[in-house]
Coordinates of all heavy atoms in Angstrom, one line a residue:
M1400 N -71.6 19.0 -23.7 CA -71.1 17.7 -24.0 C -69.9 17.3 -23.2 O -68.9 18.0 -23.2 CB -70.8 17.6 -25.5 CG -70.4 16.2 -25.9 SD -70.3 16.2 -27.7 CE -68.5 15.8 -27.9
I1401 N -69.9 16.2 -22.5 CA -68.8 15.8 -21.7 C -68.0 14.8 -22.5 O -68.6 13.8 -23.0 CB -69.2 15.2 -20.3 CG1 -69.9 16.2 -19.5 CG2 -68.0 14.6 -19.6 CD1 -70.5 15.8 -18.2
M1402 N -66.7 15.0 -22.7 CA -65.9 14.1 -23.4 C -65.4 12.9 -22.5 O -65.0 13.2 -21.4 CB -64.7 14.8 -24.0 CG -63.8 14.0 -24.8 SD -62.6 14.9 -25.7 CE -63.6 15.8 -26.8
K1403 N -65.5 11.7 -23.0 CA -65.1 10.6 -22.3 C -63.5 10.6 -22.2 O -62.9 10.9 -23.2 CB -65.6 9.3 -22.9 CG -67.1 9.1 -22.9 CD -67.5 7.8 -23.5 CE -69.0 7.7 -23.5 NZ -69.4 6.5 -24.2
P1404 N -63.0 10.2 -21.0 CA -61.5 10.2 -20.9 C -60.8 9.4 -22.0 O -59.7 9.7 -22.3 CB -61.3 9.7 -19.5 CG -62.5 10.0 -18.8 CD -63.6 9.9 -19.8
D1405 N -61.4 8.3 -22.4 CA -60.8 7.5 -23.4 C -60.6 8.1 -24.8 O -59.9 7.7 -25.7 CB -61.5 6.1 -23.6 CG -62.9 6.2 -24.0 OD1 -63.5 7.3 -23.9 OD2 -63.5 5.2 -24.5
K1406 N -61.3 9.3 -25.0 CA -61.2 10.0 -26.3 C -60.0 11.0 -26.2 O -59.7 11.6 -27.2 CB -62.5 10.8 -26.5 CG -63.7 10.0 -26.7 CD -63.7 9.2 -28.0 CE -65.0 8.5 -28.2 NZ -65.0 7.7 -29.4
L1407 N -59.5 11.2 -25.0 CA -58.3 12.1 -24.9 C -57.0 11.3 -24.9 O -57.0 10.2 -24.3 CB -58.4 12.9 -23.6 CG -59.7 13.8 -23.5 CD1 -59.7 14.5 -22.1 CD2 -59.7 14.8 -24.6
K1408 N -56.0 11.9 -25.4 CA -54.7 11.3 -25.5 C -53.7 12.1 -24.6 O -53.9 13.3 -24.4 CB -54.1 11.3 -26.9 CG -55.0 10.6 -27.9 CD -55.0 9.1 -27.7 CE -55.8 8.4 -28.8 NZ -56.0 7.1 -28.5
M1409 N -52.8 11.4 -24.0 CA -51.8 12.1 -23.2 C -50.4 11.9 -23.8 O -50.1 10.8 -24.2 CB -51.7 11.4 -21.8 CG -50.9 12.2 -20.8 SD -51.7 13.7 -20.4 CE -51.5 13.7 -18.7
K1410 N -49.8 13.0 -24.1 CA -48.5 12.9 -24.8 C -47.6 14.1 -24.3 O -48.0 15.2 -24.2 CB -48.8 13.1 -26.3 CG -47.5 13.0 -27.2 CD -47.0 11.6 -27.2 CE -45.8 11.5 -28.1 NZ -45.1 10.2 -28.0
S1411 N -46.3 13.8 -24.1 CA -45.3 14.8 -23.8 C -44.3 14.9 -25.0 O -43.9 13.8 -25.5 CB -44.5 14.5 -22.6 OG -45.2 14.9 -21.4
L1412 N -44.0 16.1 -25.4 CA -43.0 16.3 -26.5 C -42.0 17.3 -26.1 O -42.2 18.3 -25.4 CB -43.8 16.9 -27.7 CG -45.0 16.3 -28.2 CD1 -45.7 17.2 -29.2 CD2 -44.6 15.0 -28.9
S1413 N -40.7 17.1 -26.5 CA -39.7 18.1 -26.4 C -39.6 18.7 -27.8 O -39.3 18.0 -28.7 CB -38.3 17.4 -26.1 OG -38.2 17.3 -24.7
L1414 N -39.8 20.0 -27.8 CA -39.8 20.7 -29.1 C -38.6 21.6 -29.2 O -38.3 22.4 -28.3 CB -41.1 21.5 -29.3 CG -42.4 20.8 -29.3 CD1 -43.6 21.7 -29.4 CD2 -42.4 19.8 -30.4
Y1415 N -37.8 21.4 -30.2 CA -36.5 22.1 -30.4 C -36.7 23.4 -31.2 O -36.0 23.7 -32.1 CB -35.5 21.2 -31.1 CG -35.3 20.0 -30.3 CD1 -35.9 18.8 -30.6 CD2 -34.5 20.0 -29.1 CE1 -35.6 17.6 -29.8 CE2 -34.3 18.9 -28.3 CZ -34.9 17.7 -28.7 OH -34.7 16.6 -27.9
I1416 N -37.7 24.2 -30.8 CA -38.0 25.5 -31.4 C -38.3 26.5 -30.2 O -38.6 26.1 -29.1 CB -39.2 25.4 -32.3 CG1 -40.5 24.9 -31.6 CG2 -38.9 24.5 -33.5 CD1 -41.7 24.9 -32.5
P1417 N -38.2 27.8 -30.5 CA -38.4 28.7 -29.5 C -39.8 28.6 -28.9 O -40.8 28.3 -29.5 CB -38.3 30.1 -30.2 CG -37.5 29.8 -31.4 CD -37.8 28.4 -31.8
V1418 N -39.9 28.9 -27.5 CA -41.2 28.7 -26.8 C -42.2 29.7 -27.4 O -43.4 29.3 -27.4 CB -41.0 28.9 -25.3 CG1 -40.7 30.4 -25.0 CG2 -42.2 28.5 -24.6
E1419 N -41.8 30.8 -27.9 CA -42.8 31.8 -28.5 C -43.5 31.2 -29.7 O -44.7 31.4 -29.9 CB -42.1 33.1 -28.9 CG -41.4 33.9 -27.8 CD -40.1 33.3 -27.4 OE1 -39.4 32.5 -28.1 OE2 -39.6 33.8 -26.3
S1420 N -42.8 30.4 -30.5 CA -43.4 29.7 -31.6 C -44.4 28.7 -31.2 O -45.5 28.5 -31.8 CB -42.3 29.1 -32.5 OG -41.5 30.0 -33.0
V1421 N -44.1 28.0 -30.1 CA -45.0 26.9 -29.6 C -46.2 27.6 -29.0 O -47.4 27.1 -29.4 CB -44.3 26.1 -28.4 CG1 -45.2 25.2 -27.8 CG2 -43.0 25.4 -28.9
V1422 N -46.1 28.6 -28.3 CA -47.3 29.3 -27.7 C -48.1 29.9 -28.8 O -49.4 29.8 -28.8 CB -46.8 30.4 -26.7 CG1 -48.0 31.3 -26.3 CG2 -46.2 29.8 -25.5
K1423 N -47.5 30.4 -29.9 CA -48.3 31.0 -31.0 C -49.1 29.9 -31.7 O -50.3 30.1 -32.0 CB -47.3 31.6 -32.0 CG -48.0 32.2 -33.2 CD -47.0 32.9 -34.2 CE -47.7 33.4 -35.4 NZ -46.8 34.0 -36.3
E1424 N -48.5 28.7 -31.9 CA -49.2 27.6 -32.5 C -50.4 27.1 -31.6 O -51.5 26.9 -32.1 CB -48.3 26.4 -32.8 CG -48.9 25.2 -33.4 CD -49.4 25.5 -34.8 OE1 -48.8 26.4 -35.5 OE2 -50.3 24.7 -35.3
I1425 N -50.2 27.1 -30.3 CA -51.2 26.6 -29.4 C -52.4 27.6 -29.4 O -53.5 27.2 -29.5 CB -50.6 26.5 -28.0 CG1 -49.7 25.3 -27.9 CG2 -51.7 26.4 -26.9 CD1 -48.9 25.2 -26.6
T1426 N -52.1 28.9 -29.4 CA -53.2 29.9 -29.5 C -53.9 29.8 -30.8 O -55.1 30.0 -30.9 CB -52.7 31.3 -29.1 OG1 -51.7 31.7 -30.0 CG2 -52.3 31.4 -27.7
Q1427 N -53.2 29.6 -31.9 CA -53.8 29.4 -33.2 C -54.8 28.2 -33.3 O -55.7 28.2 -34.1 CB -52.8 29.4 -34.3 CG -52.1 30.7 -34.6 CD -51.1 30.7 -35.6 OE1 -50.6 29.6 -36.1 NE2 -50.6 31.8 -36.1
L1428 N -54.5 27.2 -32.4 CA -55.4 26.1 -32.4 C -56.6 26.3 -31.5 O -57.5 25.4 -31.3 CB -54.6 24.9 -31.8 CG -53.5 24.2 -32.7 CD1 -52.7 23.2 -31.9 CD2 -54.1 23.6 -33.9
G1429 N -56.7 27.5 -30.9 CA -57.9 27.9 -30.2 C -57.8 27.8 -28.7 O -58.8 27.9 -28.0
F1430 N -56.6 27.5 -28.2 CA -56.4 27.4 -26.7 C -56.1 28.7 -26.1 O -55.6 29.6 -26.7 CB -55.2 26.5 -26.5 CG -55.5 25.0 -26.7 CD1 -55.4 24.5 -28.0 CD2 -55.8 24.2 -25.6 CE1 -55.7 23.1 -28.2 CE2 -56.1 22.8 -25.9 CZ -56.0 22.3 -27.1
T1431 N -56.6 28.9 -24.9 CA -56.4 30.1 -24.1 C -55.6 29.8 -22.9 O -55.8 28.8 -22.2 CB -57.8 30.6 -23.6 OG1 -58.6 30.8 -24.8 CG2 -57.6 31.9 -22.9
E1432 N -54.6 30.7 -22.5 CA -53.8 30.5 -21.3 C -54.7 30.7 -20.1 O -55.3 31.8 -20.0 CB -52.6 31.4 -21.3 CG -51.7 31.2 -20.2 CD -50.4 32.0 -20.3 OE1 -50.0 32.5 -21.4 OE2 -49.7 32.1 -19.2
V1433 N -54.7 29.8 -19.2 CA -55.5 29.9 -18.0 C -54.7 30.0 -16.7 O -55.3 30.4 -15.7 CB -56.5 28.7 -17.9 CG1 -57.6 28.8 -19.0 CG2 -55.9 27.4 -17.9
A1434 N -53.4 29.7 -16.7 CA -52.6 29.8 -15.5 C -51.1 29.7 -15.9 O -50.8 29.2 -17.0 CB -52.9 28.6 -14.6
S1435 N -50.3 30.3 -15.0 CA -48.9 30.2 -15.2 C -48.2 30.3 -13.8 O -48.8 30.9 -12.9 CB -48.4 31.3 -16.1 OG -48.5 32.6 -15.5
A1436 N -47.0 29.7 -13.7 CA -46.3 29.7 -12.4 C -44.9 29.5 -12.7 O -44.5 29.0 -13.7 CB -46.9 28.7 -11.5
I1437 N -44.0 29.9 -11.7 CA -42.6 29.6 -11.8 C -42.4 28.4 -10.9 O -42.8 28.4 -9.7 CB -41.7 30.8 -11.3 CG1 -41.9 31.9 -12.3 CG2 -40.3 30.4 -11.2 CD1 -41.1 33.2 -12.0
V1438 N -41.7 27.4 -11.4 CA -41.5 26.1 -10.7 C -40.0 25.9 -10.5 O -39.3 26.2 -11.5 CB -42.2 24.9 -11.5 CG1 -41.9 23.6 -10.8 CG2 -43.6 25.2 -11.7
I1439 N -39.6 25.4 -9.4 CA -38.2 25.1 -9.2 C -38.1 23.6 -9.0 O -38.7 23.0 -8.1 CB -37.7 25.8 -7.9 CG1 -37.9 27.3 -8.0 CG2 -36.2 25.5 -7.7 CD1 -37.6 28.1 -6.7
T1440 N -37.2 23.0 -9.8 CA -36.9 21.6 -9.7 C -35.5 21.3 -10.1 O -35.0 21.9 -11.0 CB -37.8 20.7 -10.7 OG1 -37.6 21.1 -12.0 CG2 -39.3 20.8 -10.4
D1441 N -34.8 20.5 -9.3 CA -33.4 20.1 -9.6 C -32.6 21.4 -9.8 O -31.7 21.4 -10.7 CB -33.3 19.2 -10.8 CG -34.1 17.9 -10.7 OD1 -34.1 17.4 -9.5 OD2 -34.6 17.4 -11.7
A1442 N -32.8 22.4 -8.9 CA -32.0 23.6 -8.9 C -32.2 24.4 -10.3 O -31.3 25.2 -10.6 CB -30.5 23.4 -8.6
K1443 N -33.2 24.1 -11.0 CA -33.5 24.8 -12.2 C -34.9 25.5 -12.1 O -35.7 25.1 -11.3 CB -33.6 23.9 -13.4 CG -32.3 23.2 -13.7 CD -32.4 22.3 -14.9 CE -31.1 21.5 -15.2 NZ -31.3 20.6 -16.2
F1444 N -35.0 26.6 -12.8 CA -36.3 27.4 -12.7 C -37.0 27.2 -14.1 O -36.4 27.3 -15.1 CB -36.0 28.9 -12.5 CG -35.4 29.2 -11.2 CD1 -34.0 29.0 -10.9 CD2 -36.2 29.7 -10.2 CE1 -33.5 29.3 -9.7 CE2 -35.7 30.0 -8.9 CZ -34.4 29.8 -8.7
W1445 N -38.3 27.0 -14.0 CA -39.1 26.8 -15.1 C -40.3 27.7 -15.1 O -40.9 27.9 -14.0 CB -39.6 25.4 -15.2 CG -38.6 24.3 -15.3 CD1 -37.8 23.8 -14.2 CD2 -38.2 23.6 -16.4 NE1 -37.0 22.9 -14.7 CE2 -37.2 22.7 -16.0 CE3 -38.6 23.6 -17.8 CZ2 -36.5 21.9 -16.9 CZ3 -38.0 22.8 -18.6 CH2 -36.9 21.9 -18.2
I1446 N -40.8 28.2 -16.2 CA -42.1 28.9 -16.3 C -43.0 27.8 -16.8 O -42.8 27.3 -17.9 CB -42.0 30.1 -17.2 CG1 -41.2 31.2 -16.6 CG2 -43.5 30.6 -17.4 CD1 -41.1 32.4 -17.5
K1447 N -44.1 27.5 -16.1 CA -45.0 26.5 -16.6 C -46.3 27.3 -16.9 O -46.8 28.0 -16.0 CB -45.2 25.5 -15.5 CG -46.1 24.4 -16.0 CD -46.1 23.2 -15.0 CE -46.2 21.9 -15.9 NZ -45.6 20.8 -15.3
R1448 N -46.8 27.1 -18.1 CA -48.1 27.7 -18.5 C -49.1 26.6 -18.9 O -48.7 25.6 -19.4 CB -47.8 28.6 -19.7 CG -46.8 29.7 -19.4 CD -46.2 30.2 -20.7 NE -46.8 31.4 -21.2 CZ -46.4 32.0 -22.2 NH1 -45.4 31.6 -22.9 NH2 -47.1 33.1 -22.6
V1449 N -50.3 26.9 -18.5 CA -51.4 26.0 -18.8 C -52.4 26.6 -19.8 O -52.8 27.7 -19.6 CB -52.2 25.5 -17.5 CG1 -53.3 24.6 -17.8 CG2 -51.2 25.0 -16.5
F1450 N -52.7 25.9 -20.8 CA -53.7 26.3 -21.8 C -54.9 25.4 -21.9 O -54.7 24.2 -21.7 CB -53.0 26.4 -23.2 CG -51.9 27.3 -23.3 CD1 -50.6 26.9 -22.9 CD2 -52.0 28.6 -23.8 CE1 -49.5 27.8 -23.0 CE2 -51.0 29.5 -23.9 CZ -49.7 29.1 -23.5
K1451 N -56.1 25.9 -22.1 CA -57.3 25.1 -22.1 C -58.2 25.4 -23.3 O -58.2 26.6 -23.8 CB -58.1 25.4 -20.8 CG -59.3 24.6 -20.7 CD -60.0 24.9 -19.4 CE -61.1 23.9 -19.1 NZ -62.4 24.3 -19.4
K1452 N -58.8 24.4 -23.8 CA -59.8 24.5 -24.9 C -60.8 23.4 -24.6 O -60.5 22.2 -24.8 CB -59.2 24.4 -26.3 CG -60.2 24.4 -27.4 CD -59.4 24.3 -28.7 CE -60.3 23.9 -29.8 NZ -59.6 23.6 -31.1
N1453 N -62.0 23.8 -24.2 CA -63.1 22.8 -23.8 C -62.5 21.9 -22.8 O -62.1 22.3 -21.7 CB -63.6 22.1 -25.0 CG -64.2 23.0 -26.1 OD1 -64.8 24.0 -25.7 ND2 -64.0 22.8 -27.3
H1454 N -62.4 20.6 -23.0 CA -61.9 19.6 -22.0 C -60.4 19.2 -22.3 O -59.9 18.3 -21.7 CB -62.7 18.4 -22.0 CG -64.2 18.6 -21.6 ND1 -64.5 19.5 -20.6 CD2 -65.3 18.2 -22.1 CE1 -65.8 19.5 -20.5 NE2 -66.3 18.7 -21.4
E1455 N -59.8 19.9 -23.2 CA -58.4 19.6 -23.5 C -57.5 20.6 -22.8 O -57.8 21.8 -22.6 CB -58.1 19.8 -25.0 CG -58.9 18.9 -25.9 CD -58.5 19.1 -27.4 OE1 -57.5 18.5 -27.9 OE2 -59.2 19.9 -28.0
Y1456 N -56.3 20.1 -22.4 CA -55.3 20.9 -21.7 C -53.9 20.7 -22.3 O -53.6 19.6 -22.7 CB -55.2 20.6 -20.2 CG -56.4 21.0 -19.4 CD1 -57.5 20.2 -19.3 CD2 -56.4 22.3 -18.8 CE1 -58.6 20.6 -18.6 CE2 -57.5 22.7 -18.1 CZ -58.6 21.8 -18.0 OH -59.7 22.3 -17.2
I1457 N -53.1 21.8 -22.4 CA -51.8 21.7 -22.8 C -50.9 22.5 -21.8 O -51.3 23.6 -21.4 CB -51.6 22.4 -24.2 CG1 -52.4 21.6 -25.3 CG2 -50.1 22.4 -24.6 CD1 -52.3 22.2 -26.6
T1458 N -49.8 21.9 -21.3 CA -48.9 22.6 -20.5 C -47.6 22.8 -21.2 O -47.2 21.9 -22.0 CB -48.6 21.9 -19.1 OG1 -48.0 20.7 -19.4 CG2 -49.9 21.7 -18.3
V1459 N -47.0 24.0 -21.0 CA -45.7 24.3 -21.7 C -44.8 24.7 -20.5 O -45.0 25.6 -19.8 CB -45.8 25.5 -22.7 CG1 -44.5 25.8 -23.2 CG2 -46.8 25.1 -23.8
S1460 N -43.7 23.9 -20.4 CA -42.7 24.2 -19.4 C -41.4 24.7 -20.1 O -40.9 24.0 -21.0 CB -42.3 22.9 -18.6 OG -43.5 22.5 -17.9
D1461 N -40.9 25.9 -19.7 CA -39.8 26.5 -20.4 C -38.8 26.9 -19.3 O -39.1 27.6 -18.4 CB -40.2 27.7 -21.2 CG -39.1 28.3 -22.0 OD1 -38.3 27.5 -22.6 OD2 -39.0 29.5 -22.1
E1462 N -37.5 26.3 -19.4 CA -36.5 26.6 -18.4 C -36.1 28.1 -18.6 O -35.9 28.6 -19.7 CB -35.3 25.7 -18.6 CG -34.3 25.8 -17.5 CD -33.1 24.9 -17.7 OE1 -33.2 24.0 -18.5 OE2 -32.1 25.1 -17.0
I1463 N -35.8 28.7 -17.4 CA -35.4 30.1 -17.5 C -34.1 30.2 -16.7 O -33.8 29.3 -15.9 CB -36.4 31.1 -16.9 CG1 -36.8 30.7 -15.5 CG2 -37.6 31.2 -17.8 CD1 -37.8 31.7 -14.8
G1464 N -33.3 31.2 -16.9 CA -32.0 31.4 -16.2 C -30.9 31.2 -17.1 O -31.0 30.9 -18.3
D1465 N -29.7 31.3 -16.6 CA -28.4 31.2 -17.3 C -28.2 29.7 -17.7 O -28.4 28.8 -16.8 CB -27.2 31.7 -16.6 CG -27.3 33.2 -16.3 OD1 -27.9 33.9 -17.2 OD2 -26.8 33.7 -15.3
A1466 N -27.8 29.4 -18.9 CA -27.5 28.1 -19.3 C -26.6 28.1 -20.5 O -26.7 29.0 -21.4 CB -28.8 27.3 -19.7
D1467 N -25.7 27.1 -20.6 CA -24.7 27.0 -21.7 C -25.1 25.9 -22.7 O -24.3 25.4 -23.4 CB -23.3 26.8 -21.2 CG -22.8 27.9 -20.3 OD1 -23.2 29.1 -20.6 OD2 -22.0 27.7 -19.4
Y1468 N -26.4 25.5 -22.7 CA -26.8 24.5 -23.6 C -28.2 24.8 -24.2 O -28.8 25.7 -23.7 CB -26.9 23.1 -22.8 CG -27.8 23.3 -21.5 CD1 -29.2 23.0 -21.6 CD2 -27.3 23.7 -20.3 CE1 -30.0 23.2 -20.5 CE2 -28.1 23.8 -19.2 CZ -29.4 23.6 -19.3 OH -30.2 23.7 -18.2
L1469 N -28.5 24.1 -25.2 CA -29.8 24.4 -25.9 C -30.9 24.0 -25.0 O -31.0 22.9 -24.5 CB -29.8 23.6 -27.2 CG -31.1 23.7 -28.1 CD1 -31.2 25.2 -28.5 CD2 -31.0 22.8 -29.3
R1470 N -31.9 24.9 -24.9 CA -33.1 24.6 -24.1 C -34.2 24.3 -25.0 O -34.3 24.8 -26.1 CB -33.5 25.8 -23.2 CG -32.5 26.1 -22.2 CD -33.0 27.3 -21.4 NE -31.9 27.8 -20.6 CZ -31.8 29.0 -20.2 NH1 -32.7 29.9 -20.5 NH2 -30.8 29.4 -19.4
D1471 N -35.1 23.4 -24.6 CA -36.2 23.1 -25.4 C -37.5 23.0 -24.5 O -37.4 22.5 -23.4 CB -36.1 21.7 -26.1 CG -35.7 20.6 -25.2 OD1 -35.0 20.9 -24.2 OD2 -36.1 19.5 -25.4
P1472 N -38.5 23.7 -25.0 CA -39.8 23.6 -24.2 C -40.3 22.2 -24.1 O -40.3 21.5 -25.1 CB -40.7 24.6 -24.8 CG -40.1 24.9 -26.2 CD -38.7 24.5 -26.1
I1473 N -40.9 21.8 -23.0 CA -41.5 20.6 -22.9 C -43.0 20.8 -22.9 O -43.6 21.6 -22.2 CB -41.2 19.9 -21.5 CG1 -39.7 19.8 -21.3 CG2 -41.9 18.5 -21.4 CD1 -39.0 18.9 -22.3
V1474 N -43.7 20.2 -23.8 CA -45.1 20.4 -24.1 C -45.8 19.0 -23.7 O -45.5 18.0 -24.2 CB -45.4 20.7 -25.5 CG1 -46.9 20.8 -25.8 CG2 -44.7 22.0 -25.9
T1475 N -46.8 19.1 -22.8 CA -47.6 18.0 -22.4 C -49.0 18.2 -22.8 O -49.6 19.3 -22.4 CB -47.5 17.7 -20.9 OG1 -46.1 17.6 -20.5 CG2 -48.3 16.5 -20.5
I1476 N -49.6 17.3 -23.5 CA -51.0 17.4 -24.0 C -51.9 16.4 -23.4 O -51.5 15.2 -23.4 CB -50.9 17.3 -25.6 CG1 -49.9 18.2 -26.2 CG2 -52.3 17.5 -26.2 CD1 -49.4 17.7 -27.6
C1477 N -53.0 16.8 -23.0 CA -54.1 15.9 -22.6 C -55.3 16.4 -23.5 O -56.0 17.4 -23.2 CB -54.5 16.0 -21.2 SG -55.9 15.0 -20.7
G1478 N -55.3 15.8 -24.7 CA -56.3 16.3 -25.7 C -56.6 15.3 -26.8 O -56.2 14.1 -26.7
K1479 N -57.3 15.8 -27.7 CA -57.7 14.9 -28.9 C -56.5 14.6 -29.7 O -55.5 15.3 -29.7 CB -58.8 15.7 -29.7 CG -60.0 16.0 -29.0 CD -60.9 16.8 -29.9 CE -62.2 17.3 -29.2 NZ -63.0 18.2 -30.0
Q1480 N -56.7 13.5 -30.5 CA -55.6 13.0 -31.3 C -55.2 14.1 -32.3 O -54.0 14.3 -32.7 CB -56.0 11.7 -32.1 CG -55.0 11.1 -32.9 CD -53.8 10.7 -32.1 OE1 -53.9 10.2 -31.0 NE2 -52.6 10.8 -32.7
K1481 N -56.2 14.9 -32.8 CA -55.8 15.9 -33.8 C -55.0 17.0 -33.2 O -54.1 17.6 -33.9 CB -57.1 16.5 -34.5 CG -57.9 17.4 -33.7 CD -59.1 17.9 -34.6 CE -59.7 19.1 -33.9 NZ -60.7 19.7 -34.7
T1482 N -55.2 17.3 -31.9 CA -54.3 18.3 -31.2 C -52.9 17.8 -31.1 O -51.9 18.5 -31.3 CB -54.9 18.6 -29.9 OG1 -56.2 19.1 -30.0 CG2 -54.1 19.7 -29.1
V1483 N -52.8 16.5 -30.7 CA -51.5 15.9 -30.6 C -50.8 15.9 -32.0 O -49.6 16.3 -32.0 CB -51.6 14.4 -30.1 CG1 -50.2 13.7 -30.1 CG2 -52.2 14.4 -28.7
K1484 N -51.5 15.6 -33.0 CA -50.9 15.6 -34.4 C -50.4 16.9 -34.8 O -49.4 17.1 -35.4 CB -51.8 15.0 -35.4 CG -52.0 13.5 -35.3 CD -53.0 13.0 -36.4 CE -53.2 11.5 -36.3 NZ -54.1 11.0 -37.3
A1485 N -51.2 17.9 -34.5 CA -50.9 19.3 -34.9 C -49.6 19.8 -34.2 O -48.8 20.4 -34.8 CB -52.1 20.3 -34.5
L1486 N -49.4 19.5 -32.9 CA -48.2 19.9 -32.2 C -47.0 19.0 -32.6 O -45.9 19.5 -32.6 CB -48.5 20.0 -30.7 CG -49.4 21.1 -30.3 CD1 -49.8 21.0 -28.9 CD2 -48.8 22.5 -30.7
R1487 N -47.3 17.8 -32.9 CA -46.2 16.9 -33.2 C -45.6 17.3 -34.6 O -44.4 17.1 -34.8 CB -46.7 15.4 -33.4 CG -45.6 14.4 -33.6 CD -46.1 13.0 -33.6 NE -45.8 12.5 -32.3 CZ -46.3 11.5 -31.7 NH1 -47.3 10.8 -32.3 NH2 -45.9 11.1 -30.6
K1488 N -46.3 18.0 -35.4 CA -45.8 18.5 -36.7 C -44.6 19.5 -36.4 O -43.8 19.7 -37.3 CB -46.8 19.2 -37.5 CG -47.8 18.2 -38.1 CD -48.9 19.0 -39.0 CE -50.0 18.1 -39.4 NZ -51.0 18.9 -40.1
M1489 N -44.6 20.1 -35.3 CA -43.6 21.1 -34.9 C -42.3 20.5 -34.5 O -41.3 21.2 -34.5 CB -44.1 22.0 -33.8 CG -45.4 22.8 -34.1 SD -45.9 23.9 -32.8 CE -44.7 25.2 -33.0
E1490 N -42.3 19.1 -34.3 CA -41.0 18.5 -33.9 C -40.0 18.6 -34.9 O -40.1 18.5 -36.1 CB -41.3 17.0 -33.6 CG -42.0 16.7 -32.3 CD -42.2 15.3 -32.0 OE1 -42.9 14.6 -32.8 OE2 -41.6 14.8 -31.0

């Protein structure tokens, strides 16, 4: 079954909880990690992970390195409304 693009929602969230908790919730929702990479932007290093479940995707970007401020993982969802709602509960 091919999901029509209009059935998918696109949403980015900054979650103020540890990245391990975010990844645990994503895997409990049935997503599997399919890729990861280290990305450099604005002189900062990020680990970017991609999770997939059927036609839905979630990316988690987590800053790495020394920092004197609170870091929050950035979660971008291209998925069903129920997936967006489930992760929004973590905000």
